Amino acid sequence: QVQLVESGGGVVQPGGSLRLSCVTSGFSFSDYGIHWVRRAPGKGLEWVALDGKNKYYADSVKGRFTISRDSSKNTLYLEMNSLRGEDTAVYYCARDLRWEGQNYFDLWGQGTLVTVSS
Amino acid sequence: QSVLTQPPSVSGAPGQRVTISCTGSSSNIGADYYVHWYQHLPGTAPKPLIYGNKNRPSGVPDRFSGSKSGTSASLAITGLQAEDEADYYCQSYDTSLSAWVFGGGTKLTVL
């Protein structure tokens, strides 16, 4: 079954750290880039980072978040440091599909909730 | 403030047609970047509806259609059904931000 499953969310204090995981199955992990996208309460979707041929980050998380992968486990990670209240959101991983030279999110996970609060 | 602008909400009766607009600029939609659309019910995985401005992934009914012109794009839904009630997002790439960008989302209510 082709799927992405996120885990690792929870409650963390401001300034704290958390590592999210995205376990993939049903497709060749090494052939695809994978994004993290988040949705804060009452807000819309926001792109966070991409692990592809290179790594890319949104300005809002650059220097605080690190994306990485373990191909032996078909798993993508998001290491989040110096967390702020505005990082509170459901975090989704999404598979990157290159179509006619551009990127498209063609498969998504169900998400994991991160709450930054004292 | 989202880079791509969508109306916060739209509504329609069952069987009717609604459209959702997505307005960008010369650094994203107007720069010949494709527009993609997603349907999202909070608590579930977002679902791709349209890719490459007008193409439907396998399994998406032809009641959903997309178009693009200049710096804007639209999603049309015909024959509205109760199950269409969800949040809808447009997405593209912004060359000034070097980032993938989403619209603010539009909540569709089926009356």
Side-chain angles (χ1 to χ4, degrees):
Chain A
Q1 186 178 0
V2 182
Q3 62 178 2
L4 308 170
V5 179
E6 304 91 337
S7 63
V11 180
V12 60
Q13 292 189 338
S17 299
L18 208 57
R19 187 177 82 159
L20 306 183
S21 300
C22 170
V23 177
T24 73
S25 58
F27 63 94
S28 178
F29 181 66
S30 60
D31 288 343
Y32 290 88
I34 308 284
H35 298 263
W36 285 100
V37 177
R38 66 186 180 184
R39 183 173 182 178
K43 298 199 173 181
L45 297 171
E46 178 191 16
W47 173 76
V48 173
L50 165 66
D51 185 283
K53 289 184 178 178
N54 294 298
K55 301 178 195 299
Y56 303 91
Y57 298 91
D59 286 345
S60 58
V61 306
K62 204 172 292 183
R64 300 187 299 123
F65 290 12
T66 302
I67 195 171
S68 63
R69 65 169 64 199
D70 183 339
S71 295
S72 69
K73 297 181 179 178
N74 293 334
T75 300
L76 180 80
Y77 300 102
L78 185 68
E79 187 76 39
M80 304 186 295
N81 297 314
S82 303
L83 282 162
R84 306 166 181 167
E86 54 263 37
D87 296 318
T88 295
V90 176
Y91 285 73
Y92 301 92
C93 54
R95 190 173 71 174
D96 179 83
L97 184 67
R98 291 285 289 178
W99 185 78
E100 295 196 357
Q102 297 186 30
N103 305 75
Y104 153 61
F105 307 92
D106 78 321
L107 179 68
W108 297 66
Q110 300 264 10
T112 186
L113 175 62
V114 172
T115 302
V116 183
S117 174
S118 54
Chain B
Q1 197 81 352
S2 300
V3 172
L4 305 180
T5 301
Q6 298 179 233
S9 63
V10 297
S11 62
Q16 285 190 333
R17 177 182 187 269
V18 296
T19 61
I20 299 172
S21 61
C22 175
T23 302
S25 68
S26 59
S27 62
N28 41 67
I29 298 175
D32 279 341
Y33 285 100
Y34 287 125
V35 178
H36 318 290
W37 292 89
Y38 306 88
Q39 179 190 62
H40 189 213
L41 278 165
T44 69
K47 174 185 176 182
L49 279 182
I50 298 289
Y51 67 93
N53 300 333
K54 61 180 182 180
N55 304 286
R56 284 186 307 277
S58 174
V60 174
D62 60 6
R63 301 187 296 105
F64 295 89
S65 63
S67 63
K68 173 189 163 181
S69 178
T71 58
S72 296
S74 288
L75 173 71
I77 310 171
T78 59
L80 265 182
Q81 300 179 3
E83 67 201 48
D84 298 333
E85 194 161 282
D87 298 320
Y88 292 82
Y89 293 87
C90 60
Q91 177 257 312
S92 187
Y93 182 80
D94 191 284
T95 187
S96 294
L97 297 173
S98 297
W100 290 269
V101 291
F102 288 90
T106 297
K107 181 173 181 60
L108 169 62
T109 301
V110 181
L111 302 171

